[in-house]
């Protein structure tokens, strides 16, 4: 299993970024996926999740309305469109594979993360 | 949202010590619960799922217990490579939430 995030960088407050996660080594369409972030020196924060079978999406309250998760089961790619960025969105963003496609399963594989820095 | 209160936030113990980390949920999460280990500069690693199930390749000195609102991660004999931060996570209800973390230091 490999998860390779990309798309992070320095962006001004109010700006946008699109994060991507290229998945390989497993049947991507069979698993739910998450984005989890970690601000510098802080703990883990679950950001968003998406179920493969029905496309249902879920968000943390802190990002609802600004972030959009999506997936392409043909390209084996998970994405996170992040808009209206704030300083508090500065974090390493991890892509994570869930143990099955559905609820209640833990994240059994993680990428190495991509850093998003929001600053003027 | 379900809050997870993890304790202690920091502990220092010697090699061979038995170490226990506790996580309390603000609502019943049944056994939809996981523990992760994160070494500095690395991605988290899943240790235990479904509250008590040890993931493949994880040393047997790690164990999980609990259900409902109180959960425990136990390291039966602390090893130098266990120096890391440990997080709990509830998987019962969206938004999913993590505990604040426990940093484990080897004396």
């Amino acid at each position: 299993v490999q998860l390779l995030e990309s798309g992070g960088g320095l962006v001004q407050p109010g700006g946008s970024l699109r994060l991507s996660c290229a998945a390989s080594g497993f049947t991507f369409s069979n698993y739910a996926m998450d984005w989890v972030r970690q601000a510098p020196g802080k703990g883990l924060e679950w950001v968003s999740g998406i179920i493969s079978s029905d496309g249902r999406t879920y968000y943390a309250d802190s990002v609802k309305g600004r972030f959009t998760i999506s997936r392409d089961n043909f390209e084996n790619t998970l994405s996170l469109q992040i808009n209206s960025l704030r300083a508090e969105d500065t974090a390493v963003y991890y892509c994570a594979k869930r143990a099955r496609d559905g609820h209640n399963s833990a994240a059994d594989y993680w990428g190495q993360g991509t850093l998003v820095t929001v600053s003027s | 949202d379900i809050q997870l209160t993890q304790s202690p936030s920091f502990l220092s113990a010697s090699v061979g010590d038995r170490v226990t980390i506790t996580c309390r949920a603000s609502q019943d999460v049944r056994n939809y619960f996981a523990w992760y280990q994160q070494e500095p500069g690395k991605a988290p690693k899943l240790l235990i799922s479904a509250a008590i199930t040890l993931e493949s390749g994880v040393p047997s000195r790690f164990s999980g217990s609990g259900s409902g609102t109180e959960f425990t991660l136990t390291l039966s004999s602390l090893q130098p490579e266990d120096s890391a931060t440990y997080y709990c996570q509830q998987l019962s209800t969206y938004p999913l939430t993590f505990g604040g973390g426990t940093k484990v230091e080897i004396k």
Side-chain angles (χ1 to χ4, degrees):
Chain A
V1 173
Q2 265 203 319
L3 300 168
L4 187 62
E5 300 95 337
S6 61
L10 175 63
V11 61
Q12 292 188 337
S16 299
L17 275 180
R18 187 175 182 85
L19 307 184
S20 294
C21 172
S24 61
F26 65 103
T27 304
F28 182 70
S29 59
N30 286 354
Y31 298 92
M33 299 292 294
D34 286 339
W35 287 99
V36 175
R37 69 183 181 184
Q38 187 168 36
K42 303 296 185 183
L44 300 174
E45 180 187 15
W46 179 86
V47 171
S48 183
I50 184 167
I51 307 298
S52 183
S53 57
D54 60 13
R56 277 184 291 177
T57 59
Y58 302 89
Y59 298 93
D61 295 342
S62 58
V63 307
K64 204 172 291 184
R66 300 187 299 124
F67 289 17
T68 303
I69 190 172
S70 60
R71 64 189 297 158
D72 184 332
N73 286 345
F74 294 101
E75 296 291 333
N76 295 339
T77 302
L78 177 73
S79 298
L80 186 69
Q81 178 68 39
I82 49 181
N83 298 330
S84 304
L85 278 159
R86 307 166 180 167
E88 55 265 35
D89 296 318
T90 294
V92 173
Y93 285 73
Y94 293 103
C95 163
K97 168 191 168 294
R98 302 275 285 274
R100 62 177 183 270
D101 187 37
H103 306 296
N104 311 131
S105 59
D108 58 357
Y109 288 92
W110 298 63
Q112 285 308 300
T114 187
L115 176 62
V116 172
T117 303
V118 184
S119 175
S120 55
Chain B
D1 298 2
I2 296 177
Q3 311 302 318
L4 296 182
T5 304
Q6 190 172 339
S7 61
S9 56
F10 175 84
L11 71 88
S12 182
S14 300
V15 172
D17 283 354
R18 183 181 181 87
V19 166
T20 298
I21 299 169
T22 298
C23 200
R24 287 190 173 86
S26 59
Q27 300 174 37
D28 184 353
V29 299
R30 295 198 277 176
N31 69 332
Y32 300 130
F33 201 83
W35 290 97
Y36 301 87
Q37 176 193 61
Q38 187 179 33
E39 297 175 43
K42 293 190 175 181
K45 172 187 173 184
L46 178 64
L47 296 175
I48 288 171
S49 61
I52 63 171
T53 303
L54 196 67
E55 292 297 300
S56 175
V58 175
S60 59
R61 63 181 178 273
F62 290 90
S63 65
S65 64
S67 68
T69 61
E70 187 148 343
F71 300 85
T72 299
L73 174 69
T74 299
L75 287 76
S76 60
S77 177
L78 192 66
Q79 298 301 304
E81 59 267 32
D82 299 335
S83 178
T85 301
Y86 295 82
Y87 294 93
C88 58
Q89 184 192 30
Q90 67 82 16
L91 302 151
S92 171
T93 304
Y94 289 104
L96 307 185
T97 45
F98 288 94
T102 296
K103 186 173 183 178
V104 174
E105 175 192 89
I106 309 297
K107 281 182 185 174

PDB file of all heavy atoms in Angstrom, chain B residues 73-107:
ATOM      1  N   LEU B  73      -5.104   1.723  26.722  1.00  0.00           N
ATOM      2  CA  LEU B  73      -3.985   1.145  25.968  1.00  0.00           C
ATOM      3  C   LEU B  73      -2.912   0.802  26.995  1.00  0.00           C
ATOM      4  O   LEU B  73      -2.513   1.666  27.785  1.00  0.00           O
ATOM      5  CB  LEU B  73      -3.434   2.140  24.948  1.00  0.00           C
ATOM      6  CG  LEU B  73      -2.166   1.698  24.203  1.00  0.00           C
ATOM      7  CD1 LEU B  73      -2.486   0.535  23.248  1.00  0.00           C
ATOM      8  CD2 LEU B  73      -1.553   2.863  23.429  1.00  0.00           C
ATOM      9  N   THR B  74      -2.459  -0.444  26.972  1.00  0.00           N
ATOM     10  CA  THR B  74      -1.444  -0.891  27.918  1.00  0.00           C
ATOM     11  C   THR B  74      -0.215  -1.385  27.174  1.00  0.00           C
ATOM     12  O   THR B  74      -0.337  -2.111  26.184  1.00  0.00           O
ATOM     13  CB  THR B  74      -1.983  -2.022  28.816  1.00  0.00           C
ATOM     14  OG1 THR B  74      -3.108  -1.532  29.555  1.00  0.00           O
ATOM     15  CG2 THR B  74      -0.911  -2.501  29.791  1.00  0.00           C
ATOM     16  N   LEU B  75       0.944  -0.948  27.638  1.00  0.00           N
ATOM     17  CA  LEU B  75       2.221  -1.493  27.184  1.00  0.00           C
ATOM     18  C   LEU B  75       2.764  -2.295  28.364  1.00  0.00           C
ATOM     19  O   LEU B  75       3.095  -1.721  29.410  1.00  0.00           O
ATOM     20  CB  LEU B  75       3.201  -0.388  26.801  1.00  0.00           C
ATOM     21  CG  LEU B  75       2.945   0.384  25.499  1.00  0.00           C
ATOM     22  CD1 LEU B  75       1.808   1.382  25.661  1.00  0.00           C
ATOM     23  CD2 LEU B  75       4.213   1.064  25.034  1.00  0.00           C
ATOM     24  N   SER B  76       2.866  -3.596  28.187  1.00  0.00           N
ATOM     25  CA  SER B  76       3.169  -4.456  29.336  1.00  0.00           C
ATOM     26  C   SER B  76       4.614  -4.316  29.790  1.00  0.00           C
ATOM     27  O   SER B  76       4.910  -4.481  30.988  1.00  0.00           O
ATOM     28  CB  SER B  76       2.872  -5.914  28.984  1.00  0.00           C
ATOM     29  OG  SER B  76       3.665  -6.311  27.882  1.00  0.00           O
ATOM     30  N   SER B  77       5.505  -4.015  28.866  1.00  0.00           N
ATOM     31  CA  SER B  77       6.922  -3.879  29.213  1.00  0.00           C
ATOM     32  C   SER B  77       7.533  -2.868  28.247  1.00  0.00           C
ATOM     33  O   SER B  77       7.846  -3.218  27.110  1.00  0.00           O
ATOM     34  CB  SER B  77       7.623  -5.232  29.102  1.00  0.00           C
ATOM     35  OG  SER B  77       9.008  -5.096  29.372  1.00  0.00           O
ATOM     36  N   LEU B  78       7.674  -1.647  28.714  1.00  0.00           N
ATOM     37  CA  LEU B  78       8.091  -0.539  27.847  1.00  0.00           C
ATOM     38  C   LEU B  78       9.475  -0.789  27.252  1.00  0.00           C
ATOM     39  O   LEU B  78      10.407  -1.201  27.962  1.00  0.00           O
ATOM     40  CB  LEU B  78       8.082   0.754  28.664  1.00  0.00           C
ATOM     41  CG  LEU B  78       8.202   2.058  27.892  1.00  0.00           C
ATOM     42  CD1 LEU B  78       6.976   2.286  27.000  1.00  0.00           C
ATOM     43  CD2 LEU B  78       8.387   3.219  28.871  1.00  0.00           C
ATOM     44  N   GLN B  79       9.599  -0.549  25.944  1.00  0.00           N
ATOM     45  CA  GLN B  79      10.863  -0.701  25.237  1.00  0.00           C
ATOM     46  C   GLN B  79      11.327   0.646  24.689  1.00  0.00           C
ATOM     47  O   GLN B  79      10.510   1.546  24.478  1.00  0.00           O
ATOM     48  CB  GLN B  79      10.705  -1.701  24.095  1.00  0.00           C
ATOM     49  CG  GLN B  79      10.321  -3.096  24.551  1.00  0.00           C
ATOM     50  CD  GLN B  79      11.334  -3.686  25.509  1.00  0.00           C
ATOM     51  OE1 GLN B  79      12.533  -3.777  25.189  1.00  0.00           O
ATOM     52  NE2 GLN B  79      10.879  -4.073  26.706  1.00  0.00           N
ATOM     53  N   PRO B  80      12.613   0.803  24.442  1.00  0.00           N
ATOM     54  CA  PRO B  80      13.117   2.107  23.949  1.00  0.00           C
ATOM     55  C   PRO B  80      12.416   2.581  22.677  1.00  0.00           C
ATOM     56  O   PRO B  80      12.165   3.782  22.513  1.00  0.00           O
ATOM     57  CB  PRO B  80      14.600   1.824  23.693  1.00  0.00           C
ATOM     58  CG  PRO B  80      14.944   0.711  24.624  1.00  0.00           C
ATOM     59  CD  PRO B  80      13.715  -0.143  24.689  1.00  0.00           C
ATOM     60  N   GLU B  81      12.048   1.638  21.818  1.00  0.00           N
ATOM     61  CA  GLU B  81      11.412   2.023  20.546  1.00  0.00           C
ATOM     62  C   GLU B  81       9.959   2.448  20.727  1.00  0.00           C
ATOM     63  O   GLU B  81       9.315   2.860  19.760  1.00  0.00           O
ATOM     64  CB  GLU B  81      11.501   0.876  19.533  1.00  0.00           C
ATOM     65  CG  GLU B  81      10.855  -0.418  19.963  1.00  0.00           C
ATOM     66  CD  GLU B  81      11.826  -1.388  20.640  1.00  0.00           C
ATOM     67  OE1 GLU B  81      12.765  -0.901  21.315  1.00  0.00           O
ATOM     68  OE2 GLU B  81      11.636  -2.610  20.493  1.00  0.00           O
ATOM     69  N   ASP B  82       9.434   2.368  21.940  1.00  0.00           N
ATOM     70  CA  ASP B  82       8.055   2.784  22.209  1.00  0.00           C
ATOM     71  C   ASP B  82       7.957   4.282  22.502  1.00  0.00           C
ATOM     72  O   ASP B  82       6.845   4.792  22.715  1.00  0.00           O
ATOM     73  CB  ASP B  82       7.474   1.998  23.386  1.00  0.00           C
ATOM     74  CG  ASP B  82       7.440   0.502  23.125  1.00  0.00           C
ATOM     75  OD1 ASP B  82       7.394   0.106  21.932  1.00  0.00           O
ATOM     76  OD2 ASP B  82       7.479  -0.267  24.100  1.00  0.00           O
ATOM     77  N   SER B  83       9.066   4.961  22.509  1.00  0.00           N
ATOM     78  CA  SER B  83       9.059   6.409  22.704  1.00  0.00           C
ATOM     79  C   SER B  83       8.340   7.065  21.523  1.00  0.00           C
ATOM     80  O   SER B  83       8.810   6.999  20.379  1.00  0.00           O
ATOM     81  CB  SER B  83      10.495   6.932  22.789  1.00  0.00           C
ATOM     82  OG  SER B  83      10.496   8.331  22.936  1.00  0.00           O
ATOM     83  N   ALA B  84       7.189   7.665  21.804  1.00  0.00           N
ATOM     84  CA  ALA B  84       6.313   8.182  20.741  1.00  0.00           C
ATOM     85  C   ALA B  84       5.140   8.887  21.398  1.00  0.00           C
ATOM     86  O   ALA B  84       5.019   8.916  22.621  1.00  0.00           O
ATOM     87  CB  ALA B  84       5.815   7.042  19.857  1.00  0.00           C
ATOM     88  N   THR B  85       4.262   9.432  20.554  1.00  0.00           N
ATOM     89  CA  THR B  85       3.001   9.977  21.033  1.00  0.00           C
ATOM     90  C   THR B  85       1.884   9.033  20.603  1.00  0.00           C
ATOM     91  O   THR B  85       1.867   8.570  19.457  1.00  0.00           O
ATOM     92  CB  THR B  85       2.764  11.393  20.495  1.00  0.00           C
ATOM     93  OG1 THR B  85       3.842  12.238  20.923  1.00  0.00           O
ATOM     94  CG2 THR B  85       1.456  11.963  21.028  1.00  0.00           C
ATOM     95  N   TYR B  86       0.981   8.765  21.514  1.00  0.00           N
ATOM     96  CA  TYR B  86      -0.113   7.827  21.273  1.00  0.00           C
ATOM     97  C   TYR B  86      -1.441   8.590  21.258  1.00  0.00           C
ATOM     98  O   TYR B  86      -1.678   9.458  22.111  1.00  0.00           O
ATOM     99  CB  TYR B  86      -0.119   6.741  22.349  1.00  0.00           C
ATOM    100  CG  TYR B  86       1.118   5.889  22.278  1.00  0.00           C
ATOM    101  CD1 TYR B  86       2.319   6.299  22.870  1.00  0.00           C
ATOM    102  CD2 TYR B  86       1.126   4.686  21.574  1.00  0.00           C
ATOM    103  CE1 TYR B  86       3.474   5.544  22.764  1.00  0.00           C
ATOM    104  CE2 TYR B  86       2.268   3.920  21.464  1.00  0.00           C
ATOM    105  CZ  TYR B  86       3.446   4.355  22.064  1.00  0.00           C
ATOM    106  OH  TYR B  86       4.583   3.608  21.947  1.00  0.00           O
ATOM    107  N   TYR B  87      -2.290   8.236  20.283  1.00  0.00           N
ATOM    108  CA  TYR B  87      -3.584   8.890  20.133  1.00  0.00           C
ATOM    109  C   TYR B  87      -4.701   7.854  20.118  1.00  0.00           C
ATOM    110  O   TYR B  87      -4.560   6.783  19.504  1.00  0.00           O
ATOM    111  CB  TYR B  87      -3.660   9.668  18.815  1.00  0.00           C
ATOM    112  CG  TYR B  87      -2.722  10.844  18.722  1.00  0.00           C
ATOM    113  CD1 TYR B  87      -1.462  10.712  18.158  1.00  0.00           C
ATOM    114  CD2 TYR B  87      -3.104  12.103  19.192  1.00  0.00           C
ATOM    115  CE1 TYR B  87      -0.593  11.793  18.063  1.00  0.00           C
ATOM    116  CE2 TYR B  87      -2.252  13.195  19.102  1.00  0.00           C
ATOM    117  CZ  TYR B  87      -0.997  13.028  18.543  1.00  0.00           C
ATOM    118  OH  TYR B  87      -0.146  14.118  18.443  1.00  0.00           O
ATOM    119  N   CYS B  88      -5.810   8.207  20.737  1.00  0.00           N
ATOM    120  CA  CYS B  88      -7.017   7.405  20.611  1.00  0.00           C
ATOM    121  C   CYS B  88      -7.943   8.077  19.595  1.00  0.00           C
ATOM    122  O   CYS B  88      -7.806   9.285  19.324  1.00  0.00           O
ATOM    123  CB  CYS B  88      -7.717   7.240  21.956  1.00  0.00           C
ATOM    124  SG  CYS B  88      -8.190   8.771  22.795  1.00  0.00           S
ATOM    125  N   GLN B  89      -8.855   7.310  19.025  1.00  0.00           N
ATOM    126  CA  GLN B  89      -9.810   7.830  18.054  1.00  0.00           C
ATOM    127  C   GLN B  89     -11.129   7.081  18.175  1.00  0.00           C
ATOM    128  O   GLN B  89     -11.120   5.851  18.278  1.00  0.00           O
ATOM    129  CB  GLN B  89      -9.286   7.681  16.617  1.00  0.00           C
ATOM    130  CG  GLN B  89     -10.203   8.303  15.561  1.00  0.00           C
ATOM    131  CD  GLN B  89      -9.835   7.916  14.137  1.00  0.00           C
ATOM    132  OE1 GLN B  89      -9.303   6.833  13.876  1.00  0.00           O
ATOM    133  NE2 GLN B  89     -10.114   8.800  13.178  1.00  0.00           N
ATOM    134  N   GLN B  90     -12.223   7.839  18.144  1.00  0.00           N
ATOM    135  CA  GLN B  90     -13.531   7.184  18.109  1.00  0.00           C
ATOM    136  C   GLN B  90     -14.022   7.147  16.669  1.00  0.00           C
ATOM    137  O   GLN B  90     -13.861   8.112  15.910  1.00  0.00           O
ATOM    138  CB  GLN B  90     -14.533   7.868  19.060  1.00  0.00           C
ATOM    139  CG  GLN B  90     -14.950   9.269  18.689  1.00  0.00           C
ATOM    140  CD  GLN B  90     -16.064   9.346  17.641  1.00  0.00           C
ATOM    141  OE1 GLN B  90     -16.743   8.360  17.379  1.00  0.00           O
ATOM    142  NE2 GLN B  90     -16.243  10.522  17.046  1.00  0.00           N
ATOM    143  N   LEU B  91     -14.608   6.004  16.308  1.00  0.00           N
ATOM    144  CA  LEU B  91     -15.069   5.766  14.943  1.00  0.00           C
ATOM    145  C   LEU B  91     -16.576   5.525  14.923  1.00  0.00           C
ATOM    146  O   LEU B  91     -17.101   4.989  13.954  1.00  0.00           O
ATOM    147  CB  LEU B  91     -14.326   4.558  14.370  1.00  0.00           C
ATOM    148  CG  LEU B  91     -12.806   4.725  14.365  1.00  0.00           C
ATOM    149  CD1 LEU B  91     -12.118   3.384  14.495  1.00  0.00           C
ATOM    150  CD2 LEU B  91     -12.371   5.419  13.104  1.00  0.00           C
ATOM    151  N   SER B  92     -17.245   5.931  15.978  1.00  0.00           N
ATOM    152  CA  SER B  92     -18.663   5.656  16.111  1.00  0.00           C
ATOM    153  C   SER B  92     -19.523   6.655  15.364  1.00  0.00           C
ATOM    154  O   SER B  92     -20.518   6.272  14.718  1.00  0.00           O
ATOM    155  CB  SER B  92     -19.042   5.671  17.600  1.00  0.00           C
ATOM    156  OG  SER B  92     -20.429   5.624  17.776  1.00  0.00           O
ATOM    157  N   THR B  93     -19.179   7.920  15.462  1.00  0.00           N
ATOM    158  CA  THR B  93     -20.055   8.982  14.987  1.00  0.00           C
ATOM    159  C   THR B  93     -19.242  10.064  14.304  1.00  0.00           C
ATOM    160  O   THR B  93     -18.195  10.473  14.808  1.00  0.00           O
ATOM    161  CB  THR B  93     -20.824   9.602  16.185  1.00  0.00           C
ATOM    162  OG1 THR B  93     -21.534   8.581  16.866  1.00  0.00           O
ATOM    163  CG2 THR B  93     -21.796  10.673  15.718  1.00  0.00           C
ATOM    164  N   TYR B  94     -19.763  10.550  13.170  1.00  0.00           N
ATOM    165  CA  TYR B  94     -19.121  11.679  12.515  1.00  0.00           C
ATOM    166  C   TYR B  94     -19.535  12.975  13.208  1.00  0.00           C
ATOM    167  O   TYR B  94     -20.682  13.103  13.646  1.00  0.00           O
ATOM    168  CB  TYR B  94     -19.529  11.741  11.045  1.00  0.00           C
ATOM    169  CG  TYR B  94     -18.938  10.645  10.216  1.00  0.00           C
ATOM    170  CD1 TYR B  94     -19.710   9.559   9.812  1.00  0.00           C
ATOM    171  CD2 TYR B  94     -17.597  10.667   9.841  1.00  0.00           C
ATOM    172  CE1 TYR B  94     -19.166   8.534   9.052  1.00  0.00           C
ATOM    173  CE2 TYR B  94     -17.046   9.642   9.075  1.00  0.00           C
ATOM    174  CZ  TYR B  94     -17.834   8.587   8.685  1.00  0.00           C
ATOM    175  OH  TYR B  94     -17.295   7.577   7.935  1.00  0.00           O
ATOM    176  N   PRO B  95     -18.624  13.958  13.323  1.00  0.00           N
ATOM    177  CA  PRO B  95     -17.233  13.862  12.884  1.00  0.00           C
ATOM    178  C   PRO B  95     -16.399  12.948  13.778  1.00  0.00           C
ATOM    179  O   PRO B  95     -16.554  12.954  15.005  1.00  0.00           O
ATOM    180  CB  PRO B  95     -16.751  15.306  12.986  1.00  0.00           C
ATOM    181  CG  PRO B  95     -17.579  15.899  14.076  1.00  0.00           C
ATOM    182  CD  PRO B  95     -18.924  15.251  13.949  1.00  0.00           C
ATOM    183  N   LEU B  96     -15.533  12.168  13.149  1.00  0.00           N
ATOM    184  CA  LEU B  96     -14.620  11.349  13.926  1.00  0.00           C
ATOM    185  C   LEU B  96     -13.724  12.280  14.742  1.00  0.00           C
ATOM    186  O   LEU B  96     -13.434  13.408  14.334  1.00  0.00           O
ATOM    187  CB  LEU B  96     -13.769  10.478  13.011  1.00  0.00           C
ATOM    188  CG  LEU B  96     -14.543   9.615  11.988  1.00  0.00           C
ATOM    189  CD1 LEU B  96     -13.570   8.708  11.228  1.00  0.00           C
ATOM    190  CD2 LEU B  96     -15.642   8.803  12.647  1.00  0.00           C
ATOM    191  N   THR B  97     -13.283  11.804  15.894  1.00  0.00           N
ATOM    192  CA  THR B  97     -12.466  12.652  16.751  1.00  0.00           C
ATOM    193  C   THR B  97     -11.309  11.853  17.347  1.00  0.00           C
ATOM    194  O   THR B  97     -11.406  10.632  17.531  1.00  0.00           O
ATOM    195  CB  THR B  97     -13.299  13.269  17.890  1.00  0.00           C
ATOM    196  OG1 THR B  97     -14.135  12.269  18.479  1.00  0.00           O
ATOM    197  CG2 THR B  97     -14.177  14.399  17.368  1.00  0.00           C
ATOM    198  N   PHE B  98     -10.234  12.581  17.633  1.00  0.00           N
ATOM    199  CA  PHE B  98      -9.050  12.029  18.281  1.00  0.00           C
ATOM    200  C   PHE B  98      -8.929  12.585  19.693  1.00  0.00           C
ATOM    201  O   PHE B  98      -9.390  13.701  19.992  1.00  0.00           O
ATOM    202  CB  PHE B  98      -7.781  12.435  17.525  1.00  0.00           C
ATOM    203  CG  PHE B  98      -7.581  11.745  16.205  1.00  0.00           C
ATOM    204  CD1 PHE B  98      -8.026  12.320  15.020  1.00  0.00           C
ATOM    205  CD2 PHE B  98      -6.915  10.528  16.121  1.00  0.00           C
ATOM    206  CE1 PHE B  98      -7.829  11.710  13.796  1.00  0.00           C
ATOM    207  CE2 PHE B  98      -6.708   9.897  14.902  1.00  0.00           C
ATOM    208  CZ  PHE B  98      -7.172  10.492  13.742  1.00  0.00           C
ATOM    209  N   GLY B  99      -8.276  11.810  20.537  1.00  0.00           N
ATOM    210  CA  GLY B  99      -7.869  12.331  21.828  1.00  0.00           C
ATOM    211  C   GLY B  99      -6.697  13.284  21.649  1.00  0.00           C
ATOM    212  O   GLY B  99      -6.110  13.372  20.564  1.00  0.00           O
ATOM    213  N   GLY B 100      -6.334  13.972  22.725  1.00  0.00           N
ATOM    214  CA  GLY B 100      -5.289  14.985  22.644  1.00  0.00           C
ATOM    215  C   GLY B 100      -3.874  14.434  22.556  1.00  0.00           C
ATOM    216  O   GLY B 100      -2.937  15.186  22.261  1.00  0.00           O
ATOM    217  N   GLY B 101      -3.710  13.146  22.802  1.00  0.00           N
ATOM    218  CA  GLY B 101      -2.398  12.531  22.681  1.00  0.00           C
ATOM    219  C   GLY B 101      -1.699  12.343  24.015  1.00  0.00           C
ATOM    220  O   GLY B 101      -1.914  13.101  24.968  1.00  0.00           O
ATOM    221  N   THR B 102      -0.865  11.312  24.074  1.00  0.00           N
ATOM    222  CA  THR B 102      -0.019  11.043  25.239  1.00  0.00           C
ATOM    223  C   THR B 102       1.397  10.857  24.747  1.00  0.00           C
ATOM    224  O   THR B 102       1.664   9.940  23.968  1.00  0.00           O
ATOM    225  CB  THR B 102      -0.470   9.775  25.976  1.00  0.00           C
ATOM    226  OG1 THR B 102      -1.774   9.961  26.503  1.00  0.00           O
ATOM    227  CG2 THR B 102       0.504   9.443  27.105  1.00  0.00           C
ATOM    228  N   LYS B 103       2.283  11.730  25.189  1.00  0.00           N
ATOM    229  CA  LYS B 103       3.688  11.592  24.817  1.00  0.00           C
ATOM    230  C   LYS B 103       4.372  10.697  25.831  1.00  0.00           C
ATOM    231  O   LYS B 103       4.355  10.967  27.042  1.00  0.00           O
ATOM    232  CB  LYS B 103       4.367  12.956  24.757  1.00  0.00           C
ATOM    233  CG  LYS B 103       5.800  12.892  24.244  1.00  0.00           C
ATOM    234  CD  LYS B 103       6.385  14.284  24.042  1.00  0.00           C
ATOM    235  CE  LYS B 103       7.784  14.206  23.460  1.00  0.00           C
ATOM    236  NZ  LYS B 103       8.358  15.546  23.215  1.00  0.00           N
ATOM    237  N   VAL B 104       4.969   9.629  25.350  1.00  0.00           N
ATOM    238  CA  VAL B 104       5.658   8.673  26.210  1.00  0.00           C
ATOM    239  C   VAL B 104       7.158   8.852  26.053  1.00  0.00           C
ATOM    240  O   VAL B 104       7.701   8.768  24.946  1.00  0.00           O
ATOM    241  CB  VAL B 104       5.251   7.228  25.874  1.00  0.00           C
ATOM    242  CG1 VAL B 104       6.087   6.235  26.672  1.00  0.00           C
ATOM    243  CG2 VAL B 104       3.767   7.026  26.130  1.00  0.00           C
ATOM    244  N   GLU B 105       7.798   9.128  27.162  1.00  0.00           N
ATOM    245  CA  GLU B 105       9.255   9.319  27.192  1.00  0.00           C
ATOM    246  C   GLU B 105       9.905   8.184  27.959  1.00  0.00           C
ATOM    247  O   GLU B 105       9.365   7.715  28.980  1.00  0.00           O
ATOM    248  CB  GLU B 105       9.568  10.656  27.862  1.00  0.00           C
ATOM    249  CG  GLU B 105      11.056  10.936  28.069  1.00  0.00           C
ATOM    250  CD  GLU B 105      11.284  12.122  29.000  1.00  0.00           C
ATOM    251  OE1 GLU B 105      11.371  11.910  30.233  1.00  0.00           O
ATOM    252  OE2 GLU B 105      11.386  13.248  28.495  1.00  0.00           O
ATOM    253  N   ILE B 106      11.055   7.757  27.501  1.00  0.00           N
ATOM    254  CA  ILE B 106      11.812   6.712  28.191  1.00  0.00           C
ATOM    255  C   ILE B 106      12.805   7.403  29.133  1.00  0.00           C
ATOM    256  O   ILE B 106      13.584   8.262  28.687  1.00  0.00           O
ATOM    257  CB  ILE B 106      12.556   5.810  27.206  1.00  0.00           C
ATOM    258  CG1 ILE B 106      11.608   5.301  26.109  1.00  0.00           C
ATOM    259  CG2 ILE B 106      13.232   4.652  27.954  1.00  0.00           C
ATOM    260  CD1 ILE B 106      10.488   4.436  26.602  1.00  0.00           C
ATOM    261  N   LYS B 107      12.768   7.036  30.401  1.00  0.00           N
ATOM    262  CA  LYS B 107      13.694   7.630  31.375  1.00  0.00           C
ATOM    263  C   LYS B 107      15.121   7.201  31.101  1.00  0.00           C
ATOM    264  O   LYS B 107      15.357   6.035  30.722  1.00  0.00           O
ATOM    265  CB  LYS B 107      13.318   7.211  32.794  1.00  0.00           C
ATOM    266  CG  LYS B 107      12.172   7.979  33.385  1.00  0.00           C
ATOM    267  CD  LYS B 107      11.927   7.510  34.814  1.00  0.00           C
ATOM    268  CE  LYS B 107      10.703   8.177  35.408  1.00  0.00           C
ATOM    269  NZ  LYS B 107      10.365   7.626  36.734  1.00  0.00           N
TER     270      LYS B 107
END
